[in-house]
């Protein structure tokens, strides 16, 4: 109703189940789990990216393309890894006031992010989905 027939829509959507950190970071992952539960409680879908093809098709779009977009950072580029980890730390902490009370959760999160930045084997992996589709007639 807001795109002309044939006009394309482009975007990127989350696939939060794809987050993987090495070495294991149980504090970050527990916080991430609470973050995703909050997203669901607020009416969101932390794994909507994988569902985009069907959702766009049902909405009447055509020529639908959905593909994973991979973010992989490690110590080959320590500045890039640190920047991504800083971004994610800030992202997760932004939900802090709305997450269930656990006074130590944010502190554990900060400690584990700092340890990841310093670890010579650190890996950050996340894969949301990019999409494009054409508006139907």
């Amino acid at each position: 109703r807001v795109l002309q027939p044939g006009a394309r829509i482009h975007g990127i959507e989350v696939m939060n189940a794809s987050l993987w950190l090495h070495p294991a970071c149980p504090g970050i992952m527990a916080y991430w789990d609470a973050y995703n539960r909050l997203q669901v409680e607020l009416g969101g879908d932390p794994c909507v990216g994988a569902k985009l093809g069907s959702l766009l098709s049902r909405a009447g779009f055509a020529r639908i393309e959905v593909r994973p977009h991979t973010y992989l950072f490690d110590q080959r580029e320590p500045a890039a890894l640190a920047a991504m980890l800083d971004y994610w730390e800030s992202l997760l902490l932004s939900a802090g006031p709305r997450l269930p009370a656990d006074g130590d959760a944010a502190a554990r999160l900060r400690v584990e992010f700092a340890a990841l930045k310093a670890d010579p084997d650190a890996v950050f992996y996340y894969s949301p989905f990019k999409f494009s589709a054409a508006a139907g007639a």
Side-chain angles (χ1 to χ4, degrees):
R1 66 181 177 85
V2 295
L3 292 176
Q4 293 181 3
R8 293 201 63 83
I9 184 171
H10 302 271
I12 188 165
E13 269 296 349
V14 298
M15 182 59 197
N16 289 356
S18 69
L19 179 64
W20 184 77
L21 304 169
H22 177 78
C25 297
I28 293 173
M29 296 312 285
Y31 203 97
W32 185 234
D33 185 52
Y35 185 97
N36 284 298
R37 285 193 313 271
L38 176 62
Q39 188 175 3
V40 170
E41 288 172 21
L42 295 173
D45 183 344
C47 292
V48 70
K51 303 170 187 174
L52 287 170
S54 295
L55 293 170
L56 289 164
S57 180
R58 278 199 313 267
F61 285 88
R63 299 191 319 275
I64 299 165
E65 297 176 25
V66 179
R67 62 192 177 286
H69 180 76
T70 301
Y71 293 96
L72 175 62
F73 293 91
D74 56 31
Q75 292 293 9
R76 290 173 295 169
E77 296 183 38
L81 172 63
M84 183 58 77
L85 293 173
D86 287 343
Y87 169 78
W88 274 73
E89 181 178 354
S90 174
L91 174 73
L92 292 176
L93 289 172
S94 72
R98 307 242 3 225
L99 293 179
D102 177 352
D104 295 331
R108 283 192 306 272
L109 179 101
R110 286 184 179 99
V111 166
E112 288 184 2
F113 271 114
L116 273 175
K117 284 186 246 179
D119 192 310
D121 295 323
V123 178
F124 171 92
Y125 176 87
Y126 182 70
S127 188
F129 282 84
K130 285 188 171 184
F131 67 93
S132 67

